[in-house]
Amino acid sequence: MKKGLFITVEGTDGAGKSTQIKLMEDYLRSQGYDILFTREPGGTSIGEKIRSLILDPKNTEMGYIAEMMLYASSRAQHVAELIKPAVMSGKVVICDRFVDSSYVYQGFGRGIDLKIVESINNIALDGTLPDITFFFDLSPEIALKRRIASTGTDRIENEKMEFHMKVYEGYKKLAALYPDRIKAIDSNRSIEEIFRDVKAWLDRVLINKE
């Protein structure tokens, strides 16, 4: 059985991830691929319970290390129960956020040593890494305004703009460090223009997997 593909999507909430994920799903299905969409934190019954703890605006007392460990715990369950089996069975898995979110939010944003974030998440990942990651590049000032206008905010989104700028700069640093995997997509454009770039990268990675 041929191994599938693991695609992750990153960026500030409000950067247009959901719209582009839907377009990706539709395009890949039209090409005959079996698609599984999932998200982090969450994706499994256990993960969704952890998600509710992490994002609940009432949990303002949550410590940074506890937050990091909760994300990693959700990810460990996600990988073992859902992502790894799906990819090994030949499916294309699209995940809204993955380990890069921990690097930028807990590492660059919270200031936790990146080596600590990496060591904890290496256990959770169990060798599972994305084949390609799309970073939808849109400044937090614009992205968060969109998000607040549409759905309101959760505990992480309620952080000060300084935090979100650190996260954004973290994404840009990761994209520069890992250009072979992380594709930065200028998201201050029309939906059609953005997806044109996404589709081009999808076609390339699919050809390389054949």
Side-chain angles (χ1 to χ4, degrees):
M1 184 181 294
K2 189 165 73 171
K3 186 180 176 184
L5 190 71
F6 184 26
I7 301 167
T8 58
V9 178
E10 298 283 353
T12 306
D13 283 325
K17 292 188 285 96
S18 297
T19 299
Q20 293 299 319
I21 286 170
K22 181 65 169 63
L23 291 172
M24 275 189 258
E25 286 186 82
D26 291 345
Y27 174 66
L28 291 169
R29 283 200 174 95
S30 76
Q31 301 300 304
Y33 292 96
D34 188 0
I35 310 301
L36 172 67
F37 168 72
T38 188
R39 68 176 182 176
E40 286 208 348
T44 66
S45 177
I46 291 170
E48 291 295 329
K49 290 173 183 175
I50 295 173
R51 179 187 180 90
S52 67
L53 286 172
I54 294 171
L55 299 183
D56 188 339
K58 294 177 183 177
N59 290 337
T60 55
E61 72 278 13
M62 185 179 294
Y64 295 168
I65 298 297
E67 180 185 84
M68 179 193 67
M69 298 291 280
L70 284 170
Y71 275 113
S73 295
S74 174
R75 183 164 299 125
Q77 185 68 26
H78 200 192
V79 168
E81 181 182 337
L82 194 68
I83 295 172
K84 201 166 191 176
V87 173
M88 295 308 294
S89 73
K91 289 184 170 135
V92 174
V93 177
I94 303 174
C95 189
D96 184 356
R97 299 196 178 283
F98 196 58
V99 70
D100 295 307
S101 282
S102 283
Y103 289 130
V104 298
Y105 281 87
Q106 279 71 60
F108 290 99
R110 300 299 194 197
I112 299 173
D113 190 315
L114 287 171
K115 290 182 179 178
I116 294 175
V117 179
E118 181 180 29
S119 63
I120 292 297
N121 277 280
N122 279 344
I123 299 169
L125 293 173
D126 190 26
T128 301
L129 287 172
D131 293 289
I132 187 168
T133 298
F134 291 105
F135 160 46
F136 290 102
D137 185 350
L138 187 66
S139 73
E141 294 98 334
I142 298 172
L144 283 169
K145 282 180 183 178
R146 291 181 183 177
R147 172 72 172 187
I148 292 167
S150 62
T151 61
T153 56
D154 58 36
R155 187 180 66 86
I156 303 298
E157 291 160 347
N158 282 337
E159 292 287 347
K160 294 179 180 178
M161 185 55 66
E162 180 186 5
F163 170 79
H164 293 291
M165 288 305 301
K166 288 178 181 177
V167 168
Y168 176 65
E169 291 303 321
Y171 271 129
K172 292 177 79 70
K173 288 176 182 175
L174 285 185
L177 280 171
Y178 305 105
D180 290 343
R181 175 175 66 84
I182 303 177
K183 309 305 177 185
I185 307 292
D186 177 5
S187 297
N188 197 20
R189 299 177 294 164
S190 71
I191 291 170
E192 295 76 17
E193 288 173 316
I194 295 167
F195 187 66
R196 182 188 61 207
D197 288 354
V198 170
K199 180 178 173 294
W201 281 116
L202 284 176
D203 288 341
R204 188 175 302 184
V205 77
L206 288 168
I207 289 170
N208 290 337
K209 290 290 283 186
E210 291 178 355

